[in-house]
Amino acid sequence: MLHFAKNIAIAAGVMLTVSNAGQAQIFYGHENPNLKRATSAMMAGELENASKYFRRAVKANLGAERLIPALNNYCAVEYAIENLENAEKICSQAIAEDRRYWRAYVNRGNVRTALGNLDAARADYEKAVKLKPNSRIAQDALASVQKPNPSLLADANQ
């Protein structure tokens, strides 16, 4: 009987959603416990635990609204614990999910800088600045990998 009641409640919810013709609705099930644990561990500086819980969380059906920031944070944690190849892969996954998420470009640029791939890092930072021109974070990141001006170096050596 309980199973039947659950099915009726789900069907009623679906009918209500369909009846709102053309209006976008976002429904969340329950909070993903792994995402909550990952965020708490990250804030507490427990990065190995944060990585473990983010890995679990992104395998769940979070929906794009929660998946992209979760991937971005997972990338940042992997970068912080120096799992650079995995961090680059995770940032790239976040970018594949949303090509306009500028924070993932900054994080992937940081990873690529650490890997010594400055040209790719510069391209990521440039994309972040293009997407979010007023971001101080993106601007500072780009400035950190700008090629030095040879004429200024020559002047400084005289």
Side-chain angles (χ1 to χ4, degrees), residues 68-90:
I68 296 162
L71 285 168
N72 188 58
N73 287 341
Y74 183 21
C75 169
V77 166
E78 288 293 288
Y79 168 70
I81 59 177
E82 298 182 10
N83 291 336
L84 300 178
E85 289 80 14
N86 196 41
E88 183 177 25
K89 182 180 114 188
I90 296 163

Side-chain angles (χ1 to χ4, degrees), residues 38-111:
T39 303
S40 295
M42 183 177 68
M43 296 305 211
E46 300 166 0
L47 301 180
E48 294 289 339
N49 282 335
S51 176
K52 174 179 72 174
Y53 290 123
F54 275 125
R55 183 175 49 254
R56 291 177 184 173
V58 300
K59 289 180 182 178
N61 185 14
L62 294 177
E65 188 172 298
R66 291 191 290 176
L67 175 62
I68 296 162
L71 285 168
N72 188 58
N73 287 341
Y74 183 21
C75 169
V77 166
E78 288 293 288
Y79 168 70
I81 59 177
E82 298 182 10
N83 291 336
L84 300 178
E85 289 80 14
N86 196 41
E88 183 177 25
K89 182 180 114 188
I90 296 163
C91 279
S92 294
Q93 186 181 351
I95 290 166
E97 291 287 332
D98 183 356
R99 298 222 177 265
R100 302 201 47 80
Y101 196 74
W102 66 273
R103 288 176 177 88
Y105 286 100
V106 171
N107 282 340
R108 189 172 71 178
N110 293 340
V111 170

